[in-house]
Amino acid sequence: TSTTIALNNQQASGEKMTSTESEAPVASPTSTALMGPTSPPPEADQFKTEANSAFNLGHYDQAIDLYSKAIDLYDKSAIYYANRSFAYLRTECFGYALSDASRAIALDQSYIKAYYRRASANMALGKFKLALTDFEQVHRRRPGDSDAKAKYTECKKIVQQKAFEKAIAYEEKRVSPCDEISQSLQSMTIEDSYDGPKLSEEGNKVTREFVTQLLDYYKKSKVLHRRYAYQILVDMKALLSAEATLVDVAVPEGTKFTICGDVHGQFFDLLNIFELNGLPSETNPYLFNGDFVDRGSFSVECIFTLFSLKLLYPKSFFLARGNHESEYMNKIYGFEGEVKAKYADKMVQLFREVFNLLPLAHLIDGRILVMHGGLFSSDDVTLEDIRKIDRNMDIPDSGPMSELLWSDPQDLPGRAPSKRGVAVQFGPDVTERFCKNNGLDYIVRSHEVKEKGYEVAHSGRCITVFSAPNYCDTMGNKGAYITLTGGKDLSPKFTSFDCVPHPTVRPMAYSSSLMQLFS
């Protein structure tokens, strides 16, 4: 999800923009020609100074704007680009951060901070080998820098681990974690002290009673027994294996249908949606459009609630994959750590297997396409192409599957490189052509925080819905959901809502120490 919050949900910490950064970078033989005039005009340096102050106050968007003004006046300063790259890192615009850092290096190959920035952006994007190359540069040039050494060592360890995992993957036959655990479920003891919800004795199935008891149990900050948690994951694998990549959804005439966006582990706000709009049922269908986990520290509660509802109402409760239903994002942004804290390492493997099977998009009455991210880098992608995607994998770096889960709309026509460094940004003309070519009224997507919880763009053809209010306890945004009524008129109706109190567990409480490598 695109945000303007600091990594780790804190204001900028550690290295700050200081007056020493106004010093001209040391020129190298390969960068002198690019540097142009040896010093920027005073007006540009003033913008840079103001930007540094805004950055140190945590006002990253303002800092980006001021650095951009400095660059408009003088585009030969490696410092300006490297500083703006740092601000983009803080707002998680990793694609822009990567571009600015690379430009800074092109201007001055001796400017060490630019290598830091580029390595950090590549780390955030999971491009560990590229990050290692830059961390190696920094470590080699500053052998006494303990921070540089620590980041180089940690990144090198990750690259070696990835190489090892790739090597052994060819040597051992892959065993399904869900299939493996299913063989030992009956031997898991349910302690006499356990006072929580239980699956039905006949077939260990989810019932309405189980769901209502589960919600009450979670309100008391208690944990579902591991036997039932594993059973839900095993059953979800079986259910999702039979679902299509693009799920067709029919909304009967006069029936209300609700679309929710990201909930990001904000369990008590999820409960509030059900308070406002009613619990899901066969007559009150819902679609949750990805990013169920990460960031918020009640992701386990969110996912088992949503999975239980899917098992209870497989034909009227729908779940789509988001970009955070992936191995790397879960490792960094908290879900993996939360699962390990509340259950065990083994369960992480089951979630990976189940997440890989989540549908990528839903088609409502043949007229509304709903996906987490957005549209494609090419105009020739059709609904039939989406149906043919083999989704049973972690999210790739490029291609239609990646774009469905990562792309963002933009106001300008055409396409542009993504601010995130993955997929693309698409303009109103792209949306118009896609809808016309595929017979659609409009598309619905999520993936971005919006002040009112929703946004209507591209002349009504592209709608964003985001359902995590006061995202990460810092953003101050409202959440929203969309309701449609089956029939000829599928016009969206929006309901915005505020956040509700939750127990005093901070967002990102379970996030990985790997975040320090790119923060």
Side-chain angles (χ1 to χ4, degrees), residues 459-506:
S459 302
R461 293 279 212 173
C462 179
I463 295 171
T464 298
V465 60
F466 189 84
S467 303
N470 194 28
Y471 183 47
C472 288
D473 286 357
T474 61
M475 295 298 291
N477 62 290
K478 291 180 180 294
Y481 53 84
I482 297 170
T483 52
L484 312 168
T485 302
K488 291 183 179 180
D489 182 11
L490 286 175
S491 299
K493 297 179 177 60
F494 306 98
T495 301
S496 294
F497 56 93
D498 292 313
C499 64
V500 297
H502 63 74
T504 55
V505 182
R506 65 178 178 82

Side-chain angles (χ1 to χ4, degrees), residues 391-420:
R391 70 185 187 278
N392 188 9
M393 65 180 77
D394 201 17
I395 302 170
D397 292 334
S398 60
M401 178 173 170
S402 174
E403 290 161 356
L404 276 169
L405 304 184
W406 277 97
S407 289
D408 294 296
Q410 64 179 18
D411 293 333
L412 294 174
R415 294 177 174 88
S418 171
K419 61 189 176 186
R420 303 172 190 269

Side-chain angles (χ1 to χ4, degrees), residues 37 73 104 156 191 212 239 256 265-266 294 304 306 361 374 390 440 478-479 503:
L73 292 173
K156 186 176 182 180
E191 300 78 8
T212 55
L239 177 62
K256 181 182 75 172
Q266 297 185 195
D294 283 338
F304 279 121
L306 295 173
D390 180 3
L440 301 173
K478 291 180 180 294

Side-chain angles (χ1 to χ4, degrees), residues 256 273-280 284 286:
K256 181 182 75 172
I273 293 174
F274 296 150
E275 287 286 332
L276 295 170
N277 195 54
L279 277 171
N284 191 22
Y286 277 80

Side-chain angles (χ1 to χ4, degrees), residues 173-184:
K173 185 178 180 181
R174 176 168 170 77
V175 178
S176 161
C178 287
D179 293 350
E180 186 178 21
I181 202 74
S182 66
Q183 298 172 15
S184 58

Side-chain angles (χ1 to χ4, degrees), residues 71 83 133 172 182 215-216 240 286 314 321 338 401 496-497:
I71 290 169
N83 284 9
T133 300
E172 57 184 31
S182 66
L215 298 184
D216 288 338
L240 293 176
Y286 277 80
R321 191 174 187 177
E338 185 180 343
M401 178 173 170
S496 294
F497 56 93

Side-chain angles (χ1 to χ4, degrees), residues 14-23 48-49 52-53 56 67 79 83 113:
E15 181 184 19
K16 292 189 175 184
M17 301 298 180
T18 65
S19 59
T20 60
E21 291 195 0
S22 65
E23 297 169 3
K48 190 264 296 184
T49 300
N52 290 352
S53 297
N56 289 335
Y67 288 133
I79 293 176
N83 284 9
K113 288 183 179 178

Side-chain angles (χ1 to χ4, degrees), residues 123-195:
M123 278 295 298
L125 294 168
K127 298 177 180 178
F128 303 112
K129 287 185 178 179
L130 292 175
L132 180 61
T133 300
D134 284 336
F135 279 137
E136 197 169 24
Q137 280 270 22
V138 176
H139 177 54
R140 182 168 55 82
R141 296 188 188 192
R142 290 184 178 176
D145 187 325
S146 59
D147 181 64
K149 182 179 180 181
K151 290 183 175 179
Y152 166 71
T153 302
E154 186 64 28
C155 188
K156 186 176 182 180
K157 190 188 304 180
I158 294 170
V159 171
Q160 291 172 339
Q161 178 65 25
K162 289 287 182 182
F164 173 74
E165 290 173 356
K166 186 176 181 181
I168 65 173
Y170 292 106
E171 298 173 7
E172 57 184 31
K173 185 178 180 181
R174 176 168 170 77
V175 178
S176 161
C178 287
D179 293 350
E180 186 178 21
I181 202 74
S182 66
Q183 298 172 15
S184 58
L185 281 174
Q186 298 306 314
S187 64
M188 291 185 185
T189 302
I190 300 175
E191 300 78 8
D192 292 338
S193 59
Y194 178 69
D195 61 352

